[in-house]
Amino acid sequence: MIQDLNENQKRAVQHKDGPMMVLAGPGSGKTMVITYRLKNLIQQFQIQSNRILVITFTKAASEEMRQRFDQIARVHHIQSTGVSFGTFHAIFFRILRSIYGYTIEQVLREDEKENILREIIRGQNLSYEDEQDFLTEIKTEISLMRNELMDIAHYHAMSCSTDVFRDIVRLYEQAKQEMRKIDFDDMICLCYETLKANPAVLTWWQNRFQYILIDEFQDINRVQYETIKLLAEPQNNLFIVGDDDQSIYKFRGARPEFLLQFPKDFPNTKTITLDINYRSTQKILHASYNVIKNNKQRYEKKMKTIHEKGQMPTIIEIEDSQAEAILVANQIQKLYQKGISLEEVAVLFRTNIQARSFIDIFLDYNLPFYLRDETPSIYDHWITKDIEAYFQLCYNIHQDEYIRRIINKPKRYISKGSIVEAQKRGGSIIDGLAQSTDLKNWQLNRIEELHFHLQQLEKKTAKEGIRYIRNTIGYHEFLVEYSQYRSIDMKGLREVMDELQEGAKPQQSIQDWLTHIQEVRWELEQRKHRTRSAREKQPGITLSTLHGAKGLEFQTVFIVGSIEGVIPHEKSMTPSELEEERRLFYVGMTRAKEQLYISYPQVRYEEKTNPSRFIDELVGQLQAEDFQVGTAIKHRTYGEGIIKNRNDKMIDVKFKNQWRQKKIDLYYCLQEKIIECI
């Protein structure tokens, strides 16, 4: 009922004409605001339901919104069938269909798109280790370019050379035209171009959708925003709901700037902040605010909560990633024994690769878990398959599948033609190469050297073996050359090797490691199969990236691996990138309802780490709350004193041995451990 809404929610619900921006912090009841505003538009303001458009970012969110509104409509005897609910793609395709007569059969399925691009890529005579990875990079980059409305003539590619990228795009567009099909990006871009070029068509759709409501507006990209601006004219009855502090999808083209500049693009915008959080305890909410308030490009929002103070977030320093995973597993077992459901527990990490240690330990502990968004396993990475090939060959060098995989990693200058000729001789490839009269002596020496290395490899533990392949055999040099050829960051490839080496520590023998990765692959495949069959989340602990956890909530949340270089990520060092990383950390923190644990390993990949700066922001400002007027403190230099005045982070202190007060930067002194309460 509307009387259940808080004051700001009521103000938003009762808005009728003109642009309105609703800043909705985490857990603030934004879905209720949108659905009750629909009720008011139809019932109170007598707006025809078929003149209303509600846009969400996912099909699931759209269906949930529709169901929530249908429930309200039934209670209040409102005609609800006319309201249009849909994603950007669904709504814009409806517009295109009305103009061009497109059918759903003319939309490329994702597998069709991949097959077209795969054939094009194979025709480019490119070299890459994992075709699927490269294909995904190309797809993502084409989408980003188009969603940003960039002209390909002025676009500089990231996944391959610019000339190759332009050629791939040209051939892809040509293939679509020949098939008379469009893809998902075309649904948006073609709709924008059509509306912009056809005033009569635009006017018809402007009259059709006189009231537009958009959820999760912080996730909008440029082409979506520009299209919405066209549709909303001239009345601009645009009601947007979003949170700039939760804008975390820059890699898809979403940026908080669209929300921040909204009042400039739409003069006379009314703004309401939903500042009551119905999810988290006071201390979790306060801690998350202490982090996010360090961002400069944001709307100020000081959230309140209806819940009790609760527990302070727990900061855990632990030896390394393996010990971190064990500690988390043990803590989850204790929570379970206290009656907390495993479905109410989430382990969140910045990058997919961090999942490895938790998957391994949870399987060892027989803890049920659910991998959200089908987080890719490191054991399916092409580098892992290369290491696996070397390990298999050290037991039996006559396995042609593995020889083909690693014969030129590093370069041994054995051509494909030489391999074909070796196969013709019968027997294994390695025997055929040894008998070849076409190879030079130095090439035969390389093969003999491979024999020697494989014999040495068999004597080593799994971790020693990976290090041997990496440094002595020369696999690291191959990765450096490959990264230079592909123009990709070597750090990502090095991290995969580091993680494999770290993960091999518990396995004594190479055979143990090979058995372990096969068991993990099998178990993860079974879990994926069960999830697809049931078409719903499987029971157990949720393992997810911070990106994948957005929109979810759990009683207990663990944010793990919180070190510099991971969160914030080492690739995100510009001011705007750091702010996005801080928003990502904030999103993770605000998933927690009652308990929040943030952990960081002291050592990662045998190197000392530094805790994330976000932990410093959180801890330093929480500690600062203890330093109020009248508090007795001890300073490293000035000795004991009493706080006489405080202005945010500056304090005035009267020290016993000083005749006048000293002004001190509280946060700096806390960070450097210069002062303490006594």
Side-chain angles (χ1 to χ4, degrees), residues 108 112-113 116-117 120 142 146 167-177 182-184 186:
L108 278 178
E112 289 181 303
K113 180 176 182 176
I116 294 168
L117 285 170
I120 292 171
I142 291 174
R146 299 207 62 200
D167 205 30
I168 291 171
V169 172
R170 178 183 60 80
L171 292 170
Y172 175 58
E173 292 298 324
Q174 183 179 313
K176 285 192 297 181
Q177 289 175 10
I182 62 173
D183 64 15
F184 279 89
D186 291 324

mmCIF file with all atom_site columns, all heavy atoms in Angstrom, residues 108 112-113 116-117 120 142 146 167-177 182-184 186:
data_model
loop_
_atom_site.group_PDB
_atom_site.id
_atom_site.type_symbol
_atom_site.label_atom_id
_atom_site.label_alt_id
_atom_site.label_comp_id
_atom_site.label_asym_id
_atom_site.label_entity_id
_atom_site.label_seq_id
_atom_site.pdbx_PDB_ins_code
_atom_site.Cartn_x
_atom_site.Cartn_y
_atom_site.Cartn_z
_atom_site.occupancy
_atom_site.B_iso_or_equiv
_atom_site.pdbx_formal_charge
_atom_site.auth_seq_id
_atom_site.auth_comp_id
_atom_site.auth_asym_id
_atom_site.auth_atom_id
_atom_site.pdbx_PDB_model_num
ATOM 1   N N   . LEU A 1 108 ? 20.169 -12.484 -35.791 1.00 0.00 ? 108 LEU A N   1
ATOM 2   C CA  . LEU A 1 108 ? 21.214 -13.493 -35.649 1.00 0.00 ? 108 LEU A CA  1
ATOM 3   C C   . LEU A 1 108 ? 21.242 -14.058 -34.237 1.00 0.00 ? 108 LEU A C   1
ATOM 4   O O   . LEU A 1 108 ? 21.296 -13.303 -33.262 1.00 0.00 ? 108 LEU A O   1
ATOM 5   C CB  . LEU A 1 108 ? 22.589 -12.867 -35.941 1.00 0.00 ? 108 LEU A CB  1
ATOM 6   C CG  . LEU A 1 108 ? 23.039 -12.707 -37.395 1.00 0.00 ? 108 LEU A CG  1
ATOM 7   C CD1 . LEU A 1 108 ? 24.392 -12.032 -37.419 1.00 0.00 ? 108 LEU A CD1 1
ATOM 8   C CD2 . LEU A 1 108 ? 23.109 -14.044 -38.104 1.00 0.00 ? 108 LEU A CD2 1
ATOM 9   N N   . GLU A 1 112 ? 25.068 -18.196 -34.350 1.00 0.00 ? 112 GLU A N   1
ATOM 10  C CA  . GLU A 1 112 ? 25.230 -17.816 -35.753 1.00 0.00 ? 112 GLU A CA  1
ATOM 11  C C   . GLU A 1 112 ? 26.273 -16.712 -35.905 1.00 0.00 ? 112 GLU A C   1
ATOM 12  O O   . GLU A 1 112 ? 27.125 -16.753 -36.802 1.00 0.00 ? 112 GLU A O   1
ATOM 13  C CB  . GLU A 1 112 ? 23.896 -17.333 -36.333 1.00 0.00 ? 112 GLU A CB  1
ATOM 14  C CG  . GLU A 1 112 ? 22.858 -18.411 -36.556 1.00 0.00 ? 112 GLU A CG  1
ATOM 15  C CD  . GLU A 1 112 ? 21.582 -17.834 -37.157 1.00 0.00 ? 112 GLU A CD  1
ATOM 16  O OE1 . GLU A 1 112 ? 20.993 -16.915 -36.561 1.00 0.00 ? 112 GLU A OE1 1
ATOM 17  O OE2 . GLU A 1 112 ? 21.180 -18.318 -38.230 1.00 0.00 ? 112 GLU A OE2 1
ATOM 18  N N   . LYS A 1 113 ? 26.176 -15.731 -35.010 1.00 0.00 ? 113 LYS A N   1
ATOM 19  C CA  . LYS A 1 113 ? 27.136 -14.621 -35.045 1.00 0.00 ? 113 LYS A CA  1
ATOM 20  C C   . LYS A 1 113 ? 28.562 -15.146 -34.855 1.00 0.00 ? 113 LYS A C   1
ATOM 21  O O   . LYS A 1 113 ? 29.484 -14.750 -35.577 1.00 0.00 ? 113 LYS A O   1
ATOM 22  C CB  . LYS A 1 113 ? 26.791 -13.607 -33.956 1.00 0.00 ? 113 LYS A CB  1
ATOM 23  C CG  . LYS A 1 113 ? 27.726 -12.414 -33.893 1.00 0.00 ? 113 LYS A CG  1
ATOM 24  C CD  . LYS A 1 113 ? 27.255 -11.415 -32.844 1.00 0.00 ? 113 LYS A CD  1
ATOM 25  C CE  . LYS A 1 113 ? 28.157 -10.198 -32.801 1.00 0.00 ? 113 LYS A CE  1
ATOM 26  N NZ  . LYS A 1 113 ? 27.672 -9.170  -31.852 1.00 0.00 ? 113 LYS A NZ  1
ATOM 27  N N   . ILE A 1 116 ? 29.859 -16.953 -38.012 1.00 0.00 ? 116 ILE A N   1
ATOM 28  C CA  . ILE A 1 116 ? 30.243 -16.012 -39.073 1.00 0.00 ? 116 ILE A CA  1
ATOM 29  C C   . ILE A 1 116 ? 31.608 -15.409 -38.765 1.00 0.00 ? 116 ILE A C   1
ATOM 30  O O   . ILE A 1 116 ? 32.510 -15.388 -39.619 1.00 0.00 ? 116 ILE A O   1
ATOM 31  C CB  . ILE A 1 116 ? 29.185 -14.899 -39.231 1.00 0.00 ? 116 ILE A CB  1
ATOM 32  C CG1 . ILE A 1 116 ? 27.869 -15.473 -39.742 1.00 0.00 ? 116 ILE A CG1 1
ATOM 33  C CG2 . ILE A 1 116 ? 29.681 -13.805 -40.179 1.00 0.00 ? 116 ILE A CG2 1
ATOM 34  C CD1 . ILE A 1 116 ? 26.703 -14.495 -39.652 1.00 0.00 ? 116 ILE A CD1 1
ATOM 35  N N   . LEU A 1 117 ? 31.751 -14.898 -37.541 1.00 0.00 ? 117 LEU A N   1
ATOM 36  C CA  . LEU A 1 117 ? 33.020 -14.263 -37.165 1.00 0.00 ? 117 LEU A CA  1
ATOM 37  C C   . LEU A 1 117 ? 34.165 -15.273 -37.154 1.00 0.00 ? 117 LEU A C   1
ATOM 38  O O   . LEU A 1 117 ? 35.295 -14.948 -37.520 1.00 0.00 ? 117 LEU A O   1
ATOM 39  C CB  . LEU A 1 117 ? 32.883 -13.603 -35.795 1.00 0.00 ? 117 LEU A CB  1
ATOM 40  C CG  . LEU A 1 117 ? 32.085 -12.294 -35.771 1.00 0.00 ? 117 LEU A CG  1
ATOM 41  C CD1 . LEU A 1 117 ? 31.809 -11.844 -34.340 1.00 0.00 ? 117 LEU A CD1 1
ATOM 42  C CD2 . LEU A 1 117 ? 32.832 -11.190 -36.527 1.00 0.00 ? 117 LEU A CD2 1
ATOM 43  N N   . ILE A 1 120 ? 35.365 -15.738 -40.651 1.00 0.00 ? 120 ILE A N   1
ATOM 44  C CA  . ILE A 1 120 ? 36.096 -14.533 -41.083 1.00 0.00 ? 120 ILE A CA  1
ATOM 45  C C   . ILE A 1 120 ? 37.492 -14.511 -40.467 1.00 0.00 ? 120 ILE A C   1
ATOM 46  O O   . ILE A 1 120 ? 38.490 -14.249 -41.149 1.00 0.00 ? 120 ILE A O   1
ATOM 47  C CB  . ILE A 1 120 ? 35.310 -13.260 -40.682 1.00 0.00 ? 120 ILE A CB  1
ATOM 48  C CG1 . ILE A 1 120 ? 34.019 -13.162 -41.494 1.00 0.00 ? 120 ILE A CG1 1
ATOM 49  C CG2 . ILE A 1 120 ? 36.165 -12.004 -40.900 1.00 0.00 ? 120 ILE A CG2 1
ATOM 50  C CD1 . ILE A 1 120 ? 33.072 -12.078 -41.019 1.00 0.00 ? 120 ILE A CD1 1
ATOM 51  N N   . ILE A 1 142 ? 33.602 -5.064  -31.073 1.00 0.00 ? 142 ILE A N   1
ATOM 52  C CA  . ILE A 1 142 ? 32.646 -4.579  -32.077 1.00 0.00 ? 142 ILE A CA  1
ATOM 53  C C   . ILE A 1 142 ? 31.446 -3.951  -31.378 1.00 0.00 ? 142 ILE A C   1
ATOM 54  O O   . ILE A 1 142 ? 30.987 -2.859  -31.757 1.00 0.00 ? 142 ILE A O   1
ATOM 55  C CB  . ILE A 1 142 ? 32.201 -5.730  -33.006 1.00 0.00 ? 142 ILE A CB  1
ATOM 56  C CG1 . ILE A 1 142 ? 33.358 -6.188  -33.899 1.00 0.00 ? 142 ILE A CG1 1
ATOM 57  C CG2 . ILE A 1 142 ? 31.020 -5.290  -33.874 1.00 0.00 ? 142 ILE A CG2 1
ATOM 58  C CD1 . ILE A 1 142 ? 33.045 -7.422  -34.736 1.00 0.00 ? 142 ILE A CD1 1
ATOM 59  N N   . ARG A 1 146 ? 30.290 0.095   -31.489 1.00 0.00 ? 146 ARG A N   1
ATOM 60  C CA  . ARG A 1 146 ? 28.985 0.475   -32.011 1.00 0.00 ? 146 ARG A CA  1
ATOM 61  C C   . ARG A 1 146 ? 28.137 1.168   -30.950 1.00 0.00 ? 146 ARG A C   1
ATOM 62  O O   . ARG A 1 146 ? 27.453 2.155   -31.235 1.00 0.00 ? 146 ARG A O   1
ATOM 63  C CB  . ARG A 1 146 ? 28.260 -0.756  -32.545 1.00 0.00 ? 146 ARG A CB  1
ATOM 64  C CG  . ARG A 1 146 ? 29.017 -1.439  -33.695 1.00 0.00 ? 146 ARG A CG  1
ATOM 65  C CD  . ARG A 1 146 ? 28.085 -2.184  -34.597 1.00 0.00 ? 146 ARG A CD  1
ATOM 66  N NE  . ARG A 1 146 ? 27.127 -1.308  -35.228 1.00 0.00 ? 146 ARG A NE  1
ATOM 67  C CZ  . ARG A 1 146 ? 25.963 -1.707  -35.754 1.00 0.00 ? 146 ARG A CZ  1
ATOM 68  N NH1 . ARG A 1 146 ? 25.641 -2.973  -35.691 1.00 0.00 ? 146 ARG A NH1 1
ATOM 69  N NH2 . ARG A 1 146 ? 25.142 -0.861  -36.308 1.00 0.00 ? 146 ARG A NH2 1
ATOM 70  N N   . ASP A 1 167 ? 38.867 -4.900  -41.307 1.00 0.00 ? 167 ASP A N   1
ATOM 71  C CA  . ASP A 1 167 ? 38.545 -5.897  -42.330 1.00 0.00 ? 167 ASP A CA  1
ATOM 72  C C   . ASP A 1 167 ? 37.524 -6.905  -41.799 1.00 0.00 ? 167 ASP A C   1
ATOM 73  O O   . ASP A 1 167 ? 36.572 -7.289  -42.503 1.00 0.00 ? 167 ASP A O   1
ATOM 74  C CB  . ASP A 1 167 ? 39.821 -6.623  -42.757 1.00 0.00 ? 167 ASP A CB  1
ATOM 75  C CG  . ASP A 1 167 ? 39.714 -7.188  -44.171 1.00 0.00 ? 167 ASP A CG  1
ATOM 76  O OD1 . ASP A 1 167 ? 38.991 -6.585  -44.992 1.00 0.00 ? 167 ASP A OD1 1
ATOM 77  O OD2 . ASP A 1 167 ? 40.336 -8.232  -44.437 1.00 0.00 ? 167 ASP A OD2 1
ATOM 78  N N   . ILE A 1 168 ? 37.708 -7.327  -40.536 1.00 0.00 ? 168 ILE A N   1
ATOM 79  C CA  . ILE A 1 168 ? 36.763 -8.268  -39.916 1.00 0.00 ? 168 ILE A CA  1
ATOM 80  C C   . ILE A 1 168 ? 35.373 -7.649  -39.852 1.00 0.00 ? 168 ILE A C   1
ATOM 81  O O   . ILE A 1 168 ? 34.366 -8.297  -40.195 1.00 0.00 ? 168 ILE A O   1
ATOM 82  C CB  . ILE A 1 168 ? 37.247 -8.672  -38.507 1.00 0.00 ? 168 ILE A CB  1
ATOM 83  C CG1 . ILE A 1 168 ? 38.505 -9.551  -38.603 1.00 0.00 ? 168 ILE A CG1 1
ATOM 84  C CG2 . ILE A 1 168 ? 36.139 -9.412  -37.738 1.00 0.00 ? 168 ILE A CG2 1
ATOM 85  C CD1 . ILE A 1 168 ? 39.175 -9.825  -37.268 1.00 0.00 ? 168 ILE A CD1 1
ATOM 86  N N   . VAL A 1 169 ? 35.293 -6.395  -39.415 1.00 0.00 ? 169 VAL A N   1
ATOM 87  C CA  . VAL A 1 169 ? 33.998 -5.716  -39.300 1.00 0.00 ? 169 VAL A CA  1
ATOM 88  C C   . VAL A 1 169 ? 33.351 -5.575  -40.679 1.00 0.00 ? 169 VAL A C   1
ATOM 89  O O   . VAL A 1 169 ? 32.146 -5.813  -40.836 1.00 0.00 ? 169 VAL A O   1
ATOM 90  C CB  . VAL A 1 169 ? 34.163 -4.333  -38.631 1.00 0.00 ? 169 VAL A CB  1
ATOM 91  C CG1 . VAL A 1 169 ? 32.851 -3.544  -38.679 1.00 0.00 ? 169 VAL A CG1 1
ATOM 92  C CG2 . VAL A 1 169 ? 34.626 -4.493  -37.186 1.00 0.00 ? 169 VAL A CG2 1
ATOM 93  N N   . ARG A 1 170 ? 34.144 -5.202  -41.680 1.00 0.00 ? 170 ARG A N   1
ATOM 94  C CA  . ARG A 1 170 ? 33.602 -5.038  -43.040 1.00 0.00 ? 170 ARG A CA  1
ATOM 95  C C   . ARG A 1 170 ? 33.002 -6.345  -43.554 1.00 0.00 ? 170 ARG A C   1
ATOM 96  O O   . ARG A 1 170 ? 31.878 -6.369  -44.088 1.00 0.00 ? 170 ARG A O   1
ATOM 97  C CB  . ARG A 1 170 ? 34.706 -4.554  -43.988 1.00 0.00 ? 170 ARG A CB  1
ATOM 98  C CG  . ARG A 1 170 ? 34.272 -4.400  -45.446 1.00 0.00 ? 170 ARG A CG  1
ATOM 99  C CD  . ARG A 1 170 ? 35.436 -3.988  -46.323 1.00 0.00 ? 170 ARG A CD  1
ATOM 100 N NE  . ARG A 1 170 ? 36.517 -4.957  -46.302 1.00 0.00 ? 170 ARG A NE  1
ATOM 101 C CZ  . ARG A 1 170 ? 36.527 -6.087  -47.011 1.00 0.00 ? 170 ARG A CZ  1
ATOM 102 N NH1 . ARG A 1 170 ? 35.491 -6.388  -47.798 1.00 0.00 ? 170 ARG A NH1 1
ATOM 103 N NH2 . ARG A 1 170 ? 37.560 -6.903  -46.955 1.00 0.00 ? 170 ARG A NH2 1
ATOM 104 N N   . LEU A 1 171 ? 33.742 -7.446  -43.361 1.00 0.00 ? 171 LEU A N   1
ATOM 105 C CA  . LEU A 1 171 ? 33.262 -8.738  -43.843 1.00 0.00 ? 171 LEU A CA  1
ATOM 106 C C   . LEU A 1 171 ? 32.050 -9.215  -43.044 1.00 0.00 ? 171 LEU A C   1
ATOM 107 O O   . LEU A 1 171 ? 31.145 -9.854  -43.595 1.00 0.00 ? 171 LEU A O   1
ATOM 108 C CB  . LEU A 1 171 ? 34.391 -9.770  -43.759 1.00 0.00 ? 171 LEU A CB  1
ATOM 109 C CG  . LEU A 1 171 ? 35.563 -9.543  -44.731 1.00 0.00 ? 171 LEU A CG  1
ATOM 110 C CD1 . LEU A 1 171 ? 36.722 -10.470 -44.404 1.00 0.00 ? 171 LEU A CD1 1
ATOM 111 C CD2 . LEU A 1 171 ? 35.101 -9.755  -46.181 1.00 0.00 ? 171 LEU A CD2 1
ATOM 112 N N   . TYR A 1 172 ? 32.020 -8.887  -41.773 1.00 0.00 ? 172 TYR A N   1
ATOM 113 C CA  . TYR A 1 172 ? 30.881 -9.272  -40.926 1.00 0.00 ? 172 TYR A CA  1
ATOM 114 C C   . TYR A 1 172 ? 29.621 -8.524  -41.358 1.00 0.00 ? 172 TYR A C   1
ATOM 115 O O   . TYR A 1 172 ? 28.542 -9.126  -41.485 1.00 0.00 ? 172 TYR A O   1
ATOM 116 C CB  . TYR A 1 172 ? 31.214 -8.983  -39.458 1.00 0.00 ? 172 TYR A CB  1
ATOM 117 C CG  . TYR A 1 172 ? 30.061 -9.227  -38.512 1.00 0.00 ? 172 TYR A CG  1
ATOM 118 C CD1 . TYR A 1 172 ? 29.449 -10.475 -38.415 1.00 0.00 ? 172 TYR A CD1 1
ATOM 119 C CD2 . TYR A 1 172 ? 29.584 -8.198  -37.703 1.00 0.00 ? 172 TYR A CD2 1
ATOM 120 C CE1 . TYR A 1 172 ? 28.388 -10.692 -37.548 1.00 0.00 ? 172 TYR A CE1 1
ATOM 121 C CE2 . TYR A 1 172 ? 28.524 -8.404  -36.828 1.00 0.00 ? 172 TYR A CE2 1
ATOM 122 C CZ  . TYR A 1 172 ? 27.929 -9.652  -36.763 1.00 0.00 ? 172 TYR A CZ  1
ATOM 123 O OH  . TYR A 1 172 ? 26.882 -9.865  -35.911 1.00 0.00 ? 172 TYR A OH  1
ATOM 124 N N   . GLU A 1 173 ? 29.747 -7.221  -41.587 1.00 0.00 ? 173 GLU A N   1
ATOM 125 C CA  . GLU A 1 173 ? 28.598 -6.430  -42.045 1.00 0.00 ? 173 GLU A CA  1
ATOM 126 C C   . GLU A 1 173 ? 28.108 -6.935  -43.412 1.00 0.00 ? 173 GLU A C   1
ATOM 127 O O   . GLU A 1 173 ? 26.902 -7.012  -43.660 1.00 0.00 ? 173 GLU A O   1
ATOM 128 C CB  . GLU A 1 173 ? 28.971 -4.946  -42.134 1.00 0.00 ? 173 GLU A CB  1
ATOM 129 C CG  . GLU A 1 173 ? 29.238 -4.286  -40.785 1.00 0.00 ? 173 GLU A CG  1
ATOM 130 C CD  . GLU A 1 173 ? 28.018 -4.292  -39.885 1.00 0.00 ? 173 GLU A CD  1
ATOM 131 O OE1 . GLU A 1 173 ? 26.891 -4.140  -40.403 1.00 0.00 ? 173 GLU A OE1 1
ATOM 132 O OE2 . GLU A 1 173 ? 28.182 -4.464  -38.660 1.00 0.00 ? 173 GLU A OE2 1
ATOM 133 N N   . GLN A 1 174 ? 29.046 -7.296  -44.249 1.00 0.00 ? 174 GLN A N   1
ATOM 134 C CA  . GLN A 1 174 ? 28.700 -7.825  -45.577 1.00 0.00 ? 174 GLN A CA  1
ATOM 135 C C   . GLN A 1 174 ? 27.938 -9.148  -45.450 1.00 0.00 ? 174 GLN A C   1
ATOM 136 O O   . GLN A 1 174 ? 26.932 -9.373  -46.142 1.00 0.00 ? 174 GLN A O   1
ATOM 137 C CB  . GLN A 1 174 ? 29.994 -8.032  -46.378 1.00 0.00 ? 174 GLN A CB  1
ATOM 138 C CG  . GLN A 1 174 ? 29.793 -8.521  -47.808 1.00 0.00 ? 174 GLN A CG  1
ATOM 139 C CD  . GLN A 1 174 ? 31.129 -8.673  -48.534 1.00 0.00 ? 174 GLN A CD  1
ATOM 140 O OE1 . GLN A 1 174 ? 31.984 -7.794  -48.487 1.00 0.00 ? 174 GLN A OE1 1
ATOM 141 N NE2 . GLN A 1 174 ? 31.319 -9.815  -49.179 1.00 0.00 ? 174 GLN A NE2 1
ATOM 142 N N   . ALA A 1 175 ? 28.399 -10.004 -44.542 1.00 0.00 ? 175 ALA A N   1
ATOM 143 C CA  . ALA A 1 175 ? 27.731 -11.301 -44.329 1.00 0.00 ? 175 ALA A CA  1
ATOM 144 C C   . ALA A 1 175 ? 26.304 -11.104 -43.829 1.00 0.00 ? 175 ALA A C   1
ATOM 145 O O   . ALA A 1 175 ? 25.373 -11.795 -44.275 1.00 0.00 ? 175 ALA A O   1
ATOM 146 C CB  . ALA A 1 175 ? 28.537 -12.142 -43.346 1.00 0.00 ? 175 ALA A CB  1
ATOM 147 N N   . LYS A 1 176 ? 26.093 -10.162 -42.922 1.00 0.00 ? 176 LYS A N   1
ATOM 148 C CA  . LYS A 1 176 ? 24.744 -9.892  -42.411 1.00 0.00 ? 176 LYS A CA  1
ATOM 149 C C   . LYS A 1 176 ? 23.826 -9.410  -43.535 1.00 0.00 ? 176 LYS A C   1
ATOM 150 O O   . LYS A 1 176 ? 22.660 -9.824  -43.628 1.00 0.00 ? 176 LYS A O   1
ATOM 151 C CB  . LYS A 1 176 ? 24.797 -8.846  -41.292 1.00 0.00 ? 176 LYS A CB  1
ATOM 152 C CG  . LYS A 1 176 ? 25.307 -9.356  -39.968 1.00 0.00 ? 176 LYS A CG  1
ATOM 153 C CD  . LYS A 1 176 ? 25.055 -8.345  -38.850 1.00 0.00 ? 176 LYS A CD  1
ATOM 154 C CE  . LYS A 1 176 ? 25.811 -7.059  -39.084 1.00 0.00 ? 176 LYS A CE  1
ATOM 155 N NZ  . LYS A 1 176 ? 25.595 -6.087  -38.002 1.00 0.00 ? 176 LYS A NZ  1
ATOM 156 N N   . GLN A 1 177 ? 24.353 -8.535  -44.369 1.00 0.00 ? 177 GLN A N   1
ATOM 157 C CA  . GLN A 1 177 ? 23.536 -8.016  -45.477 1.00 0.00 ? 177 GLN A CA  1
ATOM 158 C C   . GLN A 1 177 ? 23.131 -9.126  -46.434 1.00 0.00 ? 177 GLN A C   1
ATOM 159 O O   . GLN A 1 177 ? 21.988 -9.184  -46.908 1.00 0.00 ? 177 GLN A O   1
ATOM 160 C CB  . GLN A 1 177 ? 24.312 -6.925  -46.217 1.00 0.00 ? 177 GLN A CB  1
ATOM 161 C CG  . GLN A 1 177 ? 24.466 -5.636  -45.422 1.00 0.00 ? 177 GLN A CG  1
ATOM 162 C CD  . GLN A 1 177 ? 25.347 -4.619  -46.124 1.00 0.00 ? 177 GLN A CD  1
ATOM 163 O OE1 . GLN A 1 177 ? 25.702 -4.787  -47.290 1.00 0.00 ? 177 GLN A OE1 1
ATOM 164 N NE2 . GLN A 1 177 ? 25.717 -3.566  -45.413 1.00 0.00 ? 177 GLN A NE2 1
ATOM 165 N N   . ILE A 1 182 ? 19.995 -9.034  -38.895 1.00 0.00 ? 182 ILE A N   1
ATOM 166 C CA  . ILE A 1 182 ? 20.603 -8.054  -38.010 1.00 0.00 ? 182 ILE A CA  1
ATOM 167 C C   . ILE A 1 182 ? 21.026 -8.752  -36.728 1.00 0.00 ? 182 ILE A C   1
ATOM 168 O O   . ILE A 1 182 ? 20.548 -9.844  -36.415 1.00 0.00 ? 182 ILE A O   1
ATOM 169 C CB  . ILE A 1 182 ? 19.640 -6.893  -37.681 1.00 0.00 ? 182 ILE A CB  1
ATOM 170 C CG1 . ILE A 1 182 ? 18.397 -7.407  -36.939 1.00 0.00 ? 182 ILE A CG1 1
ATOM 171 C CG2 . ILE A 1 182 ? 19.255 -6.135  -38.941 1.00 0.00 ? 182 ILE A CG2 1
ATOM 172 C CD1 . ILE A 1 182 ? 17.473 -6.303  -36.434 1.00 0.00 ? 182 ILE A CD1 1
ATOM 173 N N   . ASP A 1 183 ? 21.947 -8.117  -35.987 1.00 0.00 ? 183 ASP A N   1
ATOM 174 C CA  . ASP A 1 183 ? 22.340 -8.698  -34.701 1.00 0.00 ? 183 ASP A CA  1
ATOM 175 C C   . ASP A 1 183 ? 21.798 -7.844  -33.553 1.00 0.00 ? 183 ASP A C   1
ATOM 176 O O   . ASP A 1 183 ? 21.080 -6.862  -33.775 1.00 0.00 ? 183 ASP A O   1
ATOM 177 C CB  . ASP A 1 183 ? 23.865 -8.873  -34.622 1.00 0.00 ? 183 ASP A CB  1
ATOM 178 C CG  . ASP A 1 183 ? 24.620 -7.550  -34.678 1.00 0.00 ? 183 ASP A CG  1
ATOM 179 O OD1 . ASP A 1 183 ? 23.994 -6.474  -34.494 1.00 0.00 ? 183 ASP A OD1 1
ATOM 180 O OD2 . ASP A 1 183 ? 25.849 -7.577  -34.901 1.00 0.00 ? 183 ASP A OD2 1
ATOM 181 N N   . PHE A 1 184 ? 22.150 -8.183  -32.333 1.00 0.00 ? 184 PHE A N   1
ATOM 182 C CA  . PHE A 1 184 ? 21.603 -7.481  -31.166 1.00 0.00 ? 184 PHE A CA  1
ATOM 183 C C   . PHE A 1 184 ? 22.070 -6.035  -31.108 1.00 0.00 ? 184 PHE A C   1
ATOM 184 O O   . PHE A 1 184 ? 21.328 -5.163  -30.647 1.00 0.00 ? 184 PHE A O   1
ATOM 185 C CB  . PHE A 1 184 ? 21.971 -8.228  -29.879 1.00 0.00 ? 184 PHE A CB  1
ATOM 186 C CG  . PHE A 1 184 ? 21.062 -9.387  -29.598 1.00 0.00 ? 184 PHE A CG  1
ATOM 187 C CD1 . PHE A 1 184 ? 21.341 -10.651 -30.101 1.00 0.00 ? 184 PHE A CD1 1
ATOM 188 C CD2 . PHE A 1 184 ? 19.903 -9.215  -28.858 1.00 0.00 ? 184 PHE A CD2 1
ATOM 189 C CE1 . PHE A 1 184 ? 20.496 -11.719 -29.855 1.00 0.00 ? 184 PHE A CE1 1
ATOM 190 C CE2 . PHE A 1 184 ? 19.048 -10.278 -28.613 1.00 0.00 ? 184 PHE A CE2 1
ATOM 191 C CZ  . PHE A 1 184 ? 19.340 -11.527 -29.113 1.00 0.00 ? 184 PHE A CZ  1
ATOM 192 N N   . ASP A 1 186 ? 22.595 -4.189  -33.700 1.00 0.00 ? 186 ASP A N   1
ATOM 193 C CA  . ASP A 1 186 ? 21.792 -3.483  -34.709 1.00 0.00 ? 186 ASP A CA  1
ATOM 194 C C   . ASP A 1 186 ? 20.428 -3.061  -34.156 1.00 0.00 ? 186 ASP A C   1
ATOM 195 O O   . ASP A 1 186 ? 19.873 -2.044  -34.562 1.00 0.00 ? 186 ASP A O   1
ATOM 196 C CB  . ASP A 1 186 ? 21.576 -4.368  -35.946 1.00 0.00 ? 186 ASP A CB  1
ATOM 197 C CG  . ASP A 1 186 ? 22.845 -4.596  -36.738 1.00 0.00 ? 186 ASP A CG  1
ATOM 198 O OD1 . ASP A 1 186 ? 23.651 -3.668  -36.819 1.00 0.00 ? 186 ASP A OD1 1
ATOM 199 O OD2 . ASP A 1 186 ? 23.025 -5.712  -37.251 1.00 0.00 ? 186 ASP A OD2 1
#
